[in-house]
Amino acid sequence: MRISSAAKAATAAALAAAALTFAAPATASPQAALTEVKCTSATSQLKFTKIMGFSRCFVGVGDLNVGYAFNTEANWVNTGNHSGWFSYEPTPGDVKVQHFDKNQSLTGDFYPLRHIHVDG
């Protein structure tokens, strides 16, 4: 059985089109890098709050080291639409890791904060 050149070309074109369909993701929108932002009432923010009511808020994805600055303490964490983990160091050299899922409220002595990772 012989296949004509036109049939071979049509088959090759169909295979190429199918490959392109699977190669490009349907939603390839870039996500913003994890950054600290001014706290608002938005429930989408990842919010770390200490007993005195001071908060630090973050949005985006990726990793961020938390410097030794004012308010590295956290007693409440509202995760908003974020999932990932953060680390804190309750005593020098004793680093703890807390994993979190979206829309969680966590309570504890999460301080001082050292690093935040938000999944993409």
Side-chain angles (χ1 to χ4, degrees):
M1 174 183 212
R2 269 186 111 161
I3 300 175
S4 70
S5 295
K8 287 180 185 177
T11 302
L15 288 173
L20 288 175
T21 301
F22 292 110
T27 56
S29 63
Q31 295 181 331
L34 182 62
T35 184
E36 188 166 2
V37 296
K38 181 180 178 185
C39 294
T40 66
S41 60
T43 58
S44 60
Q45 293 180 337
L46 174 60
K47 185 180 286 188
F48 293 85
T49 305
K50 67 179 180 179
I51 288 176
M52 307 227 356
F54 298 107
S55 296
R56 291 181 81 174
C57 297
F58 303 86
V59 296
V61 298
D63 290 275
L64 185 66
N65 287 324
V66 180
Y68 293 90
F70 173 73
N71 196 15
T72 59
E73 298 179 19
N75 298 100
W76 298 281
V77 180
N78 292 315
T79 64
N81 62 358
H82 300 82
S83 62
W85 56 269
F86 60 88
S87 65
Y88 59 101
E89 192 173 3
T91 57
D94 182 26
V95 177
K96 307 277 186 195
V97 175
Q98 175 68 51
H99 292 268
F100 57 89
D101 289 319
K102 294 180 180 185
N103 303 310
Q104 280 189 308
S105 291
L106 308 171
T107 58
D109 294 328
F110 307 118
Y111 54 81
L113 291 172
R114 292 294 177 243
H115 187 86
I116 303 168
H117 169 83
V118 175
D119 299 331

